Amino acid sequence: MSISMAELAERLSALEDKEAIRSLKARYLRACDLKQPDVIRDCFLPTGVRIAYEGFPEFDDRDAFVDVYRQMACQDGVHDIHHATNWEIDLVSADEARGVWSLNFRTILMGARRVTRLAVEYEDVYRRHDGRWWIAETVSRISSMIVEEMAEDGALRVLACGEAQAV
């Protein structure tokens, strides 16, 4: 089987685009964990964005989303862990892609002595603008959850589990 240089260049370009999108998603999730709101903001398309995470209001402005993120997550005693896996990225055109991801999410709230664990499915749209990839749309759905409370002695008590929304 012989591959032309044009076919090889097209395949390489597709691999580079998918890797850039994977890096973008990793950058976003890492910034969420490290409490870096400016980095989070820079992952989203400057205009025309849609952020629709289950259990939160929907946003069409990245600054409004980042403001809520700052209020909720950038506090002492709030620790988040985002681990995305099972990614699938489809290049729709030269400047648009769609992706799905599974997310293993935990938030530890030291003040409330609670741990919430969520399994989340993301559906994203990415757009190339000004020579780079951006998150243009991200929608999440919680597929399962466990909310636990930590007693003074360290014992855990399950407060909720299943498919219901997080407490």
Side-chain angles (χ1 to χ4, degrees):
M1 178 173 134
S2 178
I3 298 174
S4 72
M5 289 303 287
E7 289 172 311
L8 190 57
E10 185 178 316
R11 290 168 71 178
L12 180 59
S13 178
L15 287 172
E16 289 174 336
D17 286 340
K18 288 182 179 185
E19 183 58 27
I21 292 166
R22 284 188 339 150
S23 293
L24 170 64
K25 187 70 169 190
R27 181 174 173 237
Y28 166 71
L29 295 172
R30 185 173 298 107
C32 288
D33 290 347
L34 296 175
K35 314 299 184 203
Q36 298 173 327
D38 292 335
V39 175
I40 292 169
R41 180 184 180 278
D42 190 53
C43 292
F44 290 104
L45 197 61
T47 60
V49 70
R50 178 178 179 230
I51 303 165
Y53 294 154
E54 185 176 350
F56 292 91
E58 187 168 323
F59 298 91
D60 62 4
D61 176 79
R62 67 184 187 174
D63 292 323
F65 171 74
V66 170
D67 286 344
V68 169
Y69 168 81
R70 276 190 175 103
Q71 293 169 25
M72 294 183 69
C74 296
Q75 309 175 32
D76 289 339
V78 176
H79 307 281
D80 294 328
I81 305 165
H82 295 75
H83 289 164
T85 61
N86 305 331
W87 60 273
E88 296 177 31
I89 298 170
D90 294 315
L91 299 172
V92 177
S93 69
D95 295 322
E96 184 172 302
R98 297 190 178 274
V100 294
W101 305 80
S102 297
L103 179 73
N104 178 359
F105 171 78
R106 286 190 187 97
T107 189
I108 302 165
L109 304 174
M110 298 302 291
R113 303 184 65 85
R114 283 196 177 164
V115 177
T116 300
R117 294 185 274 169
L118 303 175
V120 178
E121 292 297 316
Y122 277 107
E123 293 182 17
D124 294 344
V125 175
Y126 307 96
R127 289 208 178 88
R128 188 187 332 247
H129 176 71
D130 289 337
R132 62 167 273 207
W133 287 99
W134 304 79
I135 300 170
E137 180 175 324
T138 182
V139 177
S140 76
R141 181 183 56 78
I142 299 168
S143 56
S144 66
M145 47 129 351
I146 297 174
V147 179
E148 299 167 301
E149 186 175 64
M150 296 176 284
E152 289 293 326
D153 66 359
L156 293 175
R157 179 174 64 112
V158 174
L159 300 177
C161 68
E163 294 183 39
Q165 281 199 288
V167 177

